Amino acid sequence: MSAYKHVLIGLDLQPESQQVVERVKSLFPESSLLRTLMHVQEPLSFAYGGDIPMDLTEVQNQLEEQARERLAVVGKELGIPPENQHVIIGQPAHEMHRFASDNNVDLIVVGSHGRHGLSLILGSTATGVLHGSQCDVLAVKV
Amino acid sequence: MSAYKHVLIGLDLQPESQQVVERVKSLFPESSLLRTLMHVQEPLSFAYGGDIPMDLTEVQNQLEEQARERLAVVGKELGIPPENQHVIIGQPAHEMHRFASDNNVDLIVVGSHGRHGLSLILGSTATGVLHGSQCDVLAVKV
């Protein structure tokens, strides 16, 4: 995989993420390659903001902390150091594109989510990442 | 790239296809890996069938022949033998999925067509291929 220098691995931390992790292990074991792990959480306020008159900051912080812990486990498994693990609040495709542009990422790896019926209606994250990406995108079948 | 055994390379044979070819060269030079080249042509009758009362068979055959010649040039460049080069008439994503299922393809490589404004409206072939694919998909930025 010498064609790539910086691979961004986007995980939604669902059980299927493990298939993406396994693929990354077999495709990008090189330590000479920069690998970044990222999990993007949609802000709770996007989902519930207008309807529920409560402060969701604490819940968001807890979710973020949980994601950090789970990403750390994956990072350890892949040998990716903490400084290359990122939990970001935002829109997944947008945040991955932004990080990719700012950090010379030449390949984004995401799960395809092909099995989920909902993605047929809502559009999967993989489709969103593909759309408008300034670098190559590998969608791993999950 | 030992994780993959059979790579299907879908080319639309536009000038940007060369970028996909270059990527394939650097990622999959292994001769142990089965590589298949494919170009799918939409039937002319889909585009003009109802409106123009003429037989388009001859034109379609000519287009198909041209595509075969161009695919042969690419095949030679990549070292892919004629028996692994296919020109198919049909809907690109559908034909690639069908071939992939029938032939144990574990990775489909296509150009992203990210630069073309029309793909924002019509949906690119890459998006179509990603959608419902039973294997991994690598979209090469073109």
Side-chain angles (χ1 to χ4, degrees):
Chain A
M1 292 299 290
S2 56
Y4 298 115
K5 292 186 174 63
H6 187 178
V7 176
L8 172 62
I9 304 142
L11 298 178
D12 62 5
L13 296 173
Q14 296 301 303
E16 299 84 13
S17 286
Q18 192 57 33
Q19 292 168 252
V20 180
V21 170
E22 295 302 326
R23 188 62 97 194
V24 168
K25 265 193 219 174
S26 64
L27 288 177
F28 311 104
E30 302 103 296
S31 59
S32 63
L33 183 78
L34 179 56
R35 298 172 302 167
T36 297
L37 267 186
M38 181 176 285
H39 171 72
V40 185
Q41 253 173 11
E42 302 242 21
L44 281 179
S45 55
F46 273 30
Y48 302 104
D51 301 330
I52 305 174
M54 62 185 286
D55 185 3
L56 295 165
T57 315
E58 185 55 34
V59 183
Q60 182 89 60
N61 287 348
Q62 284 178 15
L63 287 172
E64 201 178 332
E65 189 50 38
Q66 279 175 18
R68 260 180 234 291
E69 287 168 12
R70 292 167 69 191
L71 209 63
V73 172
V74 177
K76 199 171 177 184
E77 186 179 348
L78 288 171
I80 296 175
E83 62 268 28
N84 297 337
Q85 301 169 12
H86 303 280
V87 173
I88 293 176
I89 309 296
Q91 198 279 321
H94 177 76
E95 295 301 331
M96 279 191 259
H97 288 160
R98 187 162 68 169
F99 183 91
S101 294
D102 291 351
N103 295 276
N104 296 316
V105 167
D106 42 18
L107 177 69
I108 300 175
V109 182
V110 285
S112 66
H113 280 262
R115 275 199 311 221
H116 295 283
L118 259 184
S119 73
L120 291 173
I121 301 162
L122 299 175
S124 66
T125 296
T127 308
V129 170
L130 180 57
H131 212 85
S133 173
Q134 295 304 306
C135 67
D136 290 8
V137 176
L138 174 63
V140 175
K141 174 70 185 164
V142 294
Chain B
M1 292 300 290
S2 57
Y4 298 115
K5 293 186 173 59
H6 187 177
V7 176
L8 172 62
I9 303 142
L11 298 178
D12 62 4
L13 296 173
Q14 296 301 302
E16 299 85 13
S17 286
Q18 192 57 34
Q19 292 168 250
V20 180
V21 171
E22 295 301 326
R23 188 62 97 193
V24 167
K25 264 195 220 173
S26 63
L27 288 178
F28 311 105
E30 302 104 296
S31 58
S32 62
L33 183 78
L34 179 56
R35 297 173 302 168
T36 297
L37 266 187
M38 181 175 285
H39 171 72
V40 185
Q41 253 173 10
E42 302 242 19
L44 281 179
S45 54
F46 274 29
Y48 302 103
D51 301 331
I52 305 173
M54 62 185 289
D55 185 5
L56 295 166
T57 315
E58 186 55 34
V59 183
Q60 181 89 61
N61 288 347
Q62 284 178 15
L63 287 173
E64 201 177 333
E65 190 49 37
Q66 280 176 17
R68 261 180 234 290
E69 288 167 14
R70 293 168 69 191
L71 209 62
V73 173
V74 177
K76 198 170 179 186
E77 185 178 348
L78 288 171
I80 296 175
E83 62 268 29
N84 296 337
Q85 300 170 11
H86 303 279
V87 173
I88 293 176
I89 309 295
Q91 197 278 321
H94 177 76
E95 296 301 331
M96 279 190 259
H97 288 159
R98 188 161 69 170
F99 182 92
S101 294
D102 292 350
N103 296 276
N104 297 317
V105 167
D106 42 17
L107 178 68
I108 300 175
V109 182
V110 285
S112 67
H113 281 262
R115 275 199 310 221
H116 295 283
L118 259 184
S119 74
L120 289 174
I121 300 161
L122 299 175
S124 66
T125 296
T127 308
V129 170
L130 180 57
H131 213 83
S133 173
Q134 295 304 306
C135 66
D136 291 8
V137 176
L138 174 63
V140 175
K141 174 70 184 164
V142 294

